[in-house]
Amino acid sequence: MPATVLLLAASPVGRGRLVDAASVLPVLAAVPPAVLSGADTANVVELADPLEPQAVLTRLRAAAAAPGPLTVYVTGQLQLDRRQRLPHLALARTTPATVRYTALPWHWIREELRLRPAGTTTLLLDLHADPETWQWLRSRPLDCGRNNAVYGRVAPPPARRAVAQPAYMKAVATILRSGFRPPPDQLHLEALARTAPERTGTDLVLTTPVPAPGDPHAAISAAVRAGRHGDADALAARHEQTAVQAHGPGSEEALHWAEVRADLAMFAGDAARSCRTWMAIASARLAAGQTPDAPAVEAAVDRAHHQWGQVGDAATARRLGQELAALRGRVPGRREGALDHVRRQLDQLQTQD
């Protein structure tokens, strides 16, 4: 089973650039795919200074869906959006005023990787933060998901008007160009050692090793890969019921397992059930007092919208579409015209049997 490697280097064009992220890609691209991945064979996807967050999301989603091991190399800069104060990976068109619409929300990375089996995903990160984001990170961890091994660093803002170099990722690439890939934790330590003279000791070092075995998500993922979709859903349902009894139906623990079941319905090809579940999750979060622009609420409605588009039966699609239109009226999301899209599709469905 081939591995997958995603190389993502992004930073704004112009005065807002803190790091020359794309400069590392030629060095990484010179490394054989097998060495980049640590597997016998690998498919490599390269994104250099992408323009649109949705385009990055599409590539990330495809990489996350690949069944083999996944290694994600991310080089770039973090900025906070002005509305929610959440970290985003700045893209080529990002400015401080447009972060929410032109940058990649960091929680999208976490969300897309969350159902991968424990121990199959490794992230290597070389990130720079602007002053505002640097202060935010001093008291909050950068959440990359519970099932992923994470190594790297977040560097503080460079000197005024200076553009920093991705020294950590270049060190990683240089080590890999030798033709041998050490285990990720050793690779991380060697890269830190090579960049120590350039660092002032203020970097935030990211070290999250591979999760311990026994995580129920691993058993669920194994069932999905074996085509045992009913078994996977039954296992998730048991964990959801346990979470409801222990913490309540509106708790994060219970909603997490509801989200897992929504994704399992998608994997099983039941788009209607997946759409219905995602809408229920969004409604539960709103009822619990979360705002319409909260990341988890937006993500639930966006996923419901996507799954609705996969429903083949016209009558079912009409019923779900009416619910989705009402929900979209409350949660418009980041994609302009999402509610109009639902309404147009509903108009077309009215003419179908």
Side-chain angles (χ1 to χ4, degrees):
M1 186 179 298
T4 301
V5 175
L6 178 62
L7 307 177
L8 171 57
S11 53
V13 175
R15 292 191 304 173
R17 173 170 291 193
L18 301 179
V19 58
D20 185 9
S23 65
V24 77
L25 285 178
V27 192
L28 282 172
V31 178
V35 179
L36 282 173
S37 65
D40 292 336
T41 59
N43 301 312
V44 179
V45 179
E46 181 179 317
L47 294 174
D49 281 331
L51 299 177
E52 300 292 341
Q54 290 293 333
V56 179
L57 178 62
T58 298
R59 297 295 185 90
L60 176 64
R61 184 167 290 165
L70 171 64
T71 307
V72 182
Y73 297 81
V74 182
T75 308
Q77 68 187 61
L78 296 174
Q79 294 179 224
L80 300 180
D81 71 296
R82 291 182 173 177
R83 180 184 296 183
Q84 295 175 301
R85 319 295 297 166
L86 293 175
H88 290 58
L89 183 70
L91 303 183
R93 294 175 177 169
T94 300
T95 66
T98 65
V99 169
R100 178 171 167 80
Y101 303 101
T102 62
L104 181 77
W106 192 259
H107 60 268
W108 283 9
I109 297 176
R110 180 196 66 220
E111 285 293 312
E112 293 305 320
L113 300 179
R114 67 192 173 87
L115 268 194
R116 287 187 55 81
T120 65
T121 308
T122 302
L123 291 92
L124 289 160
L125 310 176
D126 189 352
L127 304 169
H128 284 69
D130 66 6
E132 195 174 30
T133 311
W134 179 252
Q135 290 302 317
W136 188 92
L137 289 169
R138 303 290 286 183
S139 59
R140 302 170 182 84
L142 189 65
D143 186 358
C144 301
R146 71 178 72 193
N147 285 344
N148 310 315
V150 183
Y151 300 98
R153 61 96 181 242
V154 181
R160 187 178 181 185
R161 297 183 181 176
V163 176
Q165 292 298 310
Y168 172 85
M169 194 64 76
K170 285 187 175 180
V172 167
T174 301
I175 295 166
L176 295 178
R177 286 188 68 178
S178 69
F180 170 70
R181 171 174 162 159
D185 55 346
Q186 182 181 337
L187 175 63
H188 169 67
L189 291 175
E190 291 184 18
L192 288 179
R194 292 192 180 209
T195 59
E198 302 176 35
R199 295 164 54 232
T200 63
T202 57
D203 289 2
L204 295 176
V205 177
L206 307 172
T207 309
T208 306
V210 176
D215 189 323
H217 298 81
I220 291 171
S221 296
V224 171
R225 291 198 303 276
R228 295 185 287 108
H229 298 287
D231 291 345
D233 184 66
L235 181 55
R238 288 200 296 272
H239 283 285
E240 181 184 12
Q241 186 60 36
T242 298
V244 168
Q245 292 173 351
H247 305 285
S251 65
E252 281 300 321
E253 292 83 357
L255 290 172
H256 165 74
W257 287 109
E259 291 175 347
V260 169
R261 297 187 70 192
D263 277 333
L264 291 175
M266 175 191 67
F267 291 141
D270 192 342
R273 179 160 59 93
S274 181
C275 174
R276 190 178 299 111
T277 305
W278 280 118
M279 287 196 292
I281 292 166
S283 297
R285 290 189 177 280
L286 290 169
Q290 296 187 31
T291 60
D293 64 354
V297 176
E298 288 186 338
V301 179
D302 287 346
R303 287 172 181 270
H305 193 155
H306 179 265
Q307 286 301 293
W308 178 63
Q310 311 303 310
V311 176
D313 179 71
T316 302
R318 281 195 293 269
R319 288 195 300 272
L320 291 173
Q322 291 167 359
E323 295 179 42
L324 181 60
L327 192 56
R328 269 297 186 205
R330 300 178 64 188
V331 186
R334 295 170 181 244
R335 300 192 69 173
E336 187 175 352
L339 177 57
D340 290 339
H341 175 265
V342 176
R343 289 170 172 166
R344 287 195 303 271
Q345 292 299 108
L346 274 176
D347 288 342
Q348 294 180 14
L349 287 168
Q350 299 304 326
T351 64
Q352 299 179 24
D353 296 327

